[in-house]
Amino acid sequence: MHTTVTVARTTTARDRLAARFADYDATEPTTDAKTLRRQLFHYHDDLLIHIVDTDAPLPGEPDGPDLGADITPFDTTALAQRYYHWLPGPVDPAMFSTLVVNRLVPERRPQVAQLFADFDTTDVPHRMGTRRRQLFALGGVYFHLQDFETPDGGEVIEQAWKQADPRFIQICDDLDPLIDKYDSTTWRKPADAVAHRFYHWEAQ
């Protein structure tokens, strides 16, 4: 399963965007790569994150409805770059995704990827129910996409933080000087960095 992440800005109501994508996905468009799952997340009011899983790599941005004036560019390109991928076993479009959004300067990506590579060799991700981890970046913004076995991924992350698992706390401490909060004025706890999913579609 191959993941593509695109980012835009929008002030359009989320239910309107969800309806546009629902109509589009109901037509089952034919593309070179079959779409297995589509998810729309919003973060910090205007950030729209469009995540598509396909059975083959996409050459560019994923298909979707023409949103026209409903979105504006986030950066010079909408396509986020993946720089870390951990997949310990088979994945399923029925998994539940949690998306964390922060800021990261490009020079720090290798350090962040190595921290997660080391962390993912432990049993902590398995105990948390993490099935896949991917890190993406676009225009200085960092996207940490985790797929879980259950729909409570955000709560799982929060519990690991509250229960002070030493290895979880260690990676948080190691990441802290590398990753900046998307908006430090509104951040109070890890859950404040979690984007809200407002649309989800899976192929039948």
Side-chain angles (χ1 to χ4, degrees), residues 8-178:
R9 295 193 182 281
T10 182
T11 54
T12 302
R14 290 186 286 275
D15 57 350
R16 175 178 170 175
L17 290 172
R20 298 276 298 278
F21 275 93
D23 289 344
Y24 179 85
D25 288 329
T27 64
E28 298 184 16
T30 302
T31 60
D32 292 337
K34 180 183 177 186
T35 300
L36 303 175
R37 177 174 67 165
R38 184 190 312 278
Q39 302 178 90
L40 299 179
F41 289 82
H42 75 87
Y43 185 71
H44 211 264
D45 298 332
D46 68 338
L47 207 60
L48 172 68
I49 304 108
H50 177 198
I51 300 174
V52 175
D53 288 303
T54 54
D55 64 354
L58 292 175
E61 296 180 25
D63 288 335
D66 180 10
L67 297 178
D70 288 335
I71 63 169
T72 56
F74 173 77
D75 204 332
T76 54
T77 177
L79 194 60
Q81 177 188 5
R82 186 174 77 180
Y83 62 96
Y84 178 74
H85 184 211
W86 175 71
L87 180 61
V91 294
D92 188 323
M95 294 185 306
F96 300 89
S97 296
T98 299
L99 180 67
V100 171
V101 182
N102 280 307
R103 296 190 185 276
L104 177 68
V105 297
E107 295 77 17
R108 296 177 178 169
R109 291 180 198 169
Q111 292 171 268
V112 171
Q114 187 58 57
L115 286 171
F116 277 109
D118 294 341
F119 179 73
D120 288 333
T121 63
T122 72
D123 67 327
V124 179
H126 299 279
R127 287 193 297 105
M128 291 176 67
T130 305
R131 296 289 304 276
R132 178 172 66 162
R133 185 188 317 280
Q134 299 179 89
L135 303 180
F136 294 85
L138 178 64
V141 180
Y142 157 95
F143 303 97
H144 178 183
L145 181 62
Q146 289 183 77
D147 288 305
F148 288 93
E149 298 168 348
T150 58
D152 58 347
E155 295 172 26
V156 169
I157 295 168
E158 189 75 12
Q159 281 301 321
W161 190 62
K162 286 180 180 177
Q163 292 170 359
D165 182 302
R167 290 169 295 182
F168 185 82
I169 297 300
Q170 185 63 56
I171 192 170
C172 290
D173 288 347
D174 291 341
L175 289 168
D176 192 54
L178 301 175

Side-chain angles (χ1 to χ4, degrees), residues 183-199:
D183 182 354
S184 59
T185 63
T186 60
W187 193 93
R188 298 293 177 269
K189 58 189 183 304
D192 295 336
V194 176
H196 174 70
R197 187 175 78 177
F198 66 95
Y199 178 74

